[in-house]
């Protein structure tokens, strides 16, 4: 028994050591960014690297904040995220509901074809999306930024897996009571799957906040520029002042880090449960 206990303790120690090393490797870029944002110009470019600033330069953040209208970028980003989350929930809930409740020709085939869109990289569709948004006259608008993210195959798949766990007798009972389909969706389906829907809302918010390539393509002015595009314009102005660039990067990233810390349990449990139910 002692040998088995010792072996188990050693394996556990090795497991935690490996996880700790992996966590440090993953967190190193973020830690380096924060430390660099507090350095002087010399310290941020010194070779060999100076890991810790001699005196934290908090004024780097004030300089970065005042150089570009980051408060406006925050507002724009929140507006785009609100549109994206609302549209994503609408299309995901209705799509998953249709594939779960209704029977129609080639239902399974259509669902498989729809899921195959998850295998297509976004970069392959960016030119077609740009042409579509341009034809609709939505360039440099909040709706134009959010439009390509409104329909997501993964979210529909995830919600469908939750919806299929509902007892079929519920829908049959609702039909017997002459309950309209939309009322059944609103009064029964959504409340029973509110945790999964909340998870999708959180993931959609994070995805839109972190989006870079597409918002940078379709925005032309600060009035509609989101936080990631604003960081790009800041880089062009700050040039090789890496300590200012790192301060601006922290201004961009830290709100999302706080958001993830608050909602990380919902994110992990929602995705994990969706995969298990599938």
């Amino acid at each position: 028994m002692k040998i088995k206990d010792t072996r188990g303790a050693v394996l556990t120690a090795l497991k935690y050591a490996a996880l700790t090393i992996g966590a440090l490797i993953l967190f190193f870029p973020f830690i380096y960014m924060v430390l660099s944002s507090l350095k002087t110009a010399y310290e941020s470019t010194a070779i060999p690297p100076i890991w810790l600033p001699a005196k934290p330069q908090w004024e780097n953040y004030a300089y970065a904040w005042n150089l570009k209208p980051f408060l406006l970028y925050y507002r724009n980003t929140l507006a785009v995220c609100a549109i994206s989350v609302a549209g994503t929930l609408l299309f995901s809930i209705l799509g998953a509901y249709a594939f779960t409740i209704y029977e129609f020709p080639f239902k399974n085939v259509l669902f498989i074809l729809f899921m195959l869109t998850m295998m297509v990289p976004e970069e392959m569709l960016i030119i077609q999306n740009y042409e579509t948004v341009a034809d609709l006259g939505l360039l440099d608008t909040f709706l134009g930024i959010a439009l390509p993210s409104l329909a997501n195959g993964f979210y529909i798949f995830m919600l469908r897996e939750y919806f299929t766990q509902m007892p079929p007798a519920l829908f049959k009972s609702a039909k017997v009571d002459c309950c309209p389909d939309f009322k059944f969706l609103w009064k029964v389906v959504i409340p029973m799957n509110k945790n999964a829907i909340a998870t999708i809302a959180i993931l959609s918010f994070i995805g839109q906040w972190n989006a870079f390539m597409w918002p940078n393509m379709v925005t032309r002015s600060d009035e509609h520029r989101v936080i990631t595009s604003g960081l790009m314009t800041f880089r062009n102005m700050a040039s090789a002042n890496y300590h200012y660039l790192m301060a601006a990067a922290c201004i961009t990233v830290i709100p999302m880090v706080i958001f993830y810390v608050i909602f990380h349990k919902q994110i992990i449990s929602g995705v994990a449960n969706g995969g298990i139910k599938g």
Side-chain angles (χ1 to χ4, degrees):
M1 290 295 295
K2 292 183 178 181
I3 296 177
K4 291 183 178 180
D5 293 340
T6 303
R7 183 180 300 174
V10 171
L11 291 176
T12 300
L14 291 175
K15 179 179 69 174
Y16 280 106
L19 291 174
T20 302
I21 294 172
L24 290 175
I25 293 174
L26 292 175
F27 276 103
F28 176 77
F30 179 77
I31 296 172
Y32 184 78
M33 176 184 68
V34 174
L35 292 176
S36 297
S37 70
L38 298 174
K39 295 178 181 179
T40 62
Y42 168 75
E43 290 173 336
S44 64
T45 57
I47 297 177
I50 298 175
W51 297 107
L52 297 175
K55 180 181 178 181
Q57 305 295 313
W58 297 105
E59 58 270 19
N60 292 346
Y61 287 89
Y63 177 86
W65 182 265
N66 294 323
L67 188 62
K68 296 294 291 184
F70 279 100
L71 183 59
L72 176 62
Y73 297 155
Y74 278 133
R75 294 173 181 172
N76 294 345
T77 306
L78 290 175
V80 174
C81 288
I83 296 172
S84 178
V85 170
T88 299
L89 290 179
L90 175 65
F91 290 114
S92 298
I93 292 172
L94 293 179
Y97 185 70
F99 278 115
T100 304
I101 299 298
Y102 299 121
E103 294 295 335
F104 48 86
F106 307 109
K107 172 182 174 180
N108 293 331
V109 175
L110 290 174
F111 184 74
I112 292 173
L113 291 175
F114 191 78
M115 291 300 97
L116 288 176
T117 61
M118 296 168 56
M119 302 176 63
V120 180
E122 294 181 3
E123 291 76 11
M124 290 186 62
L125 303 175
I126 200 164
I127 296 177
Q128 292 84 348
N129 289 338
Y130 184 88
E131 293 177 348
T132 301
V133 170
D135 292 340
L136 293 174
L138 296 177
L139 291 177
D140 202 24
T141 64
F142 293 150
L143 181 58
I145 298 173
L147 190 61
S149 65
L150 298 186
N152 189 295
F154 171 72
Y155 297 151
I156 293 177
F157 168 77
M158 179 179 169
L159 267 186
R160 179 179 177 271
E161 298 307 307
Y162 276 91
F163 289 176
T164 54
Q165 303 303 309
M166 297 178 58
L170 285 176
F171 183 69
K172 295 179 181 178
S173 300
K175 299 305 291 183
V176 170
D177 294 336
C178 299
C179 177
D181 291 350
F182 181 78
K183 186 176 181 180
F184 177 73
L185 171 65
W186 182 256
K187 295 290 186 178
V188 179
V189 177
I190 292 178
M192 290 185 65
N193 297 276
K194 59 183 179 181
N195 290 335
I197 294 172
T199 299
I200 289 175
I202 294 170
L203 292 176
S204 176
F205 183 90
I206 294 175
Q208 189 60 62
W209 183 285
N210 292 331
F212 170 73
M213 183 180 297
W214 175 253
N216 199 48
M217 285 185 61
V218 298
T219 52
R220 298 289 182 271
S221 62
D222 280 341
E223 286 72 17
H224 297 96
R225 188 165 280 134
V226 296
I227 193 73
T228 51
S229 300
L231 183 61
M232 172 64 73
T233 62
F234 181 91
R235 189 196 69 173
N236 297 334
M237 297 182 65
S239 185
N241 295 309
Y242 295 108
H243 53 309
Y244 294 143
L245 288 174
M246 294 298 102
C250 288
I251 292 173
T252 304
V253 171
I254 287 176
M256 189 48 52
V257 173
I258 297 173
F259 184 86
Y260 179 79
V261 169
I262 296 173
F263 294 106
H264 71 281
K265 290 184 178 179
Q266 290 86 340
I267 297 171
I268 296 173
S269 64
V271 175
N273 290 339
I276 293 173
K277 289 174 183 286

